[in-house]
């Protein structure tokens, strides 16, 4: 009996050691993934108003969540596992809740590290830029006269206007974004009536195309 008991205990000990080793291994992998995620600058994350350029923002942001708590509209979230932004950093999804452009910019003023510019004027915010991406879905391209994106824009008359254009041989009114005035708040995307928003807010470098890749072919 004593010999049998020793065998059982030995088998149990081996199993427990294997489990512990597996847990440590997974823990190490998780930690490594967290470090990699924290170091990545996600080009698609829409940051709160006043955010520094992405590399500087990621260096300064301590993932404290104070900006999220300060937002009165629940616009901001902290990124979790499986989401595109670096884990623990604040971002927002305009189709769900846009930035309502509070005049006192409470999210930025709550930031303790300078990742968000506490002194920014909301009219100077550069969260991204709206882009008309759904030309086949936009109701204006279907011959209708929709102006919802123009009417809900908080910088009405400057950031988005309807301009006369031509599509398939007919005159249409085209929603036109004036990037110099657009703050990227996402109100237009939120209220777009098509199933998948025909107008979307993208980080400015993506929305405006950035520098071309074929630099050698540029005129000097």
């Amino acid at each position: 009996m004593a010999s049998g008991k020793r065998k059982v205990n030995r088998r149990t000990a081996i199993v427990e050691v294997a489990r512990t080793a597996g847990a440590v291994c997974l823990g190490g992998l998780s930690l490594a993934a967290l470090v990699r995620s924290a170091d990545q600058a996600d080009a698609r994350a829409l940051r709160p108003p006043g955010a520094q350029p992405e590399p500087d923002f990621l260096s300064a942001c301590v993932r404290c969540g104070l900006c999220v708590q300060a937002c009165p509209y629940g616009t901001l979230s902290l990124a979790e596992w499986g989401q595109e932004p670096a884990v623990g950093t604040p971002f927002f999804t305009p189709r769900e809740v846009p930035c309502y452009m509070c005049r006192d910019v409470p999210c930025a003023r709550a930031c303790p590290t300078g990742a968000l510019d506490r002194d920014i004027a909301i009219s100077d915010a550069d969260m991204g830029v709206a882009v008309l991406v759904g030309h086949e879905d936009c109701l204006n391209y279907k011959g209708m006269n929709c102006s919802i994106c123009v009417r809900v824009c908080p910088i009405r008359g400057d950031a988005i206007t309807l301009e006369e254009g031509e599509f398939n041989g007919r005159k249409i009114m085209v929603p036109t974004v004036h990037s110099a005035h657009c703050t990227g708040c996402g109100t237009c995307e939120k209220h777009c009536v098509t199933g998948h928003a025909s107008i979307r807010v993208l980080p400015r470098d993506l929305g405006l195309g950035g520098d071309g890749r074929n630099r050698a072919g540029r005129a000097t």
Side-chain angles (χ1 to χ4, degrees), residues 202-218:
L202 302 175
R204 190 165 290 265
D205 60 331
L206 293 181
L208 299 182
D211 294 331
R213 297 178 64 183
N214 188 10
R215 295 178 180 272
R218 283 183 170 180

Side-chain angles (χ1 to χ4, degrees), residues 183-195:
T183 63
C185 70
T187 305
C188 55
E189 180 177 338
K190 169 65 178 178
H191 292 281
C192 181
V193 298
T194 57

Side-chain angles (χ1 to χ4, degrees), residues 80-180:
E80 300 177 352
W81 291 106
Q83 295 180 313
E84 290 186 83
V87 173
T89 60
F91 74 105
F92 71 102
T93 305
R95 193 60 165 167
E96 297 175 3
V97 189
C99 172
Y100 285 95
M101 294 182 62
C102 305
R103 290 191 177 184
D104 57 347
V105 203
C107 57
R109 294 190 177 182
C111 180
T113 66
L116 305 179
D117 181 1
R118 298 168 58 92
D119 298 321
I120 189 171
I122 192 60
S123 59
D124 295 330
D126 185 8
M127 296 168 274
V129 64
V131 178
L132 187 65
V133 295
H135 294 79
E136 294 183 359
D137 298 324
C138 177
L139 298 184
N140 294 59
Y141 280 82
K142 294 182 177 182
M144 304 180 202
N145 189 19
C146 179
S147 61
I148 187 67
C149 58
V150 175
R151 290 186 284 114
V152 301
C153 178
I155 312 178
R156 190 170 179 177
D158 289 325
I160 310 178
T161 59
L162 288 177
E163 305 292 337
E164 188 175 279
E166 186 173 320
F167 182 68
N168 286 342
R170 66 175 187 271
K171 299 290 185 181
I172 63 172
M173 299 304 291
V174 181
T176 304
V177 177
H178 305 281
S179 59

Side-chain angles (χ1 to χ4, degrees), residues 26-95:
L26 288 175
L29 291 173
S30 299
L31 180 58
L34 176 59
V35 170
R36 285 196 300 271
S37 176
D39 287 340
Q40 289 174 349
D42 181 69
R44 300 184 180 277
L46 294 180
R47 301 301 187 187
Q52 302 295 336
E54 189 71 2
D56 298 330
F57 174 81
L58 289 176
S59 296
C61 178
V62 293
R63 285 70 166 167
C64 65
L66 292 178
C67 57
V68 175
Q69 297 174 26
C71 177
Y73 296 102
T75 298
L76 300 175
S77 301
L78 291 180
E80 300 177 352
W81 291 106
Q83 295 180 313
E84 290 186 83
V87 173
T89 60
F91 74 105
F92 71 102
T93 305
R95 193 60 165 167

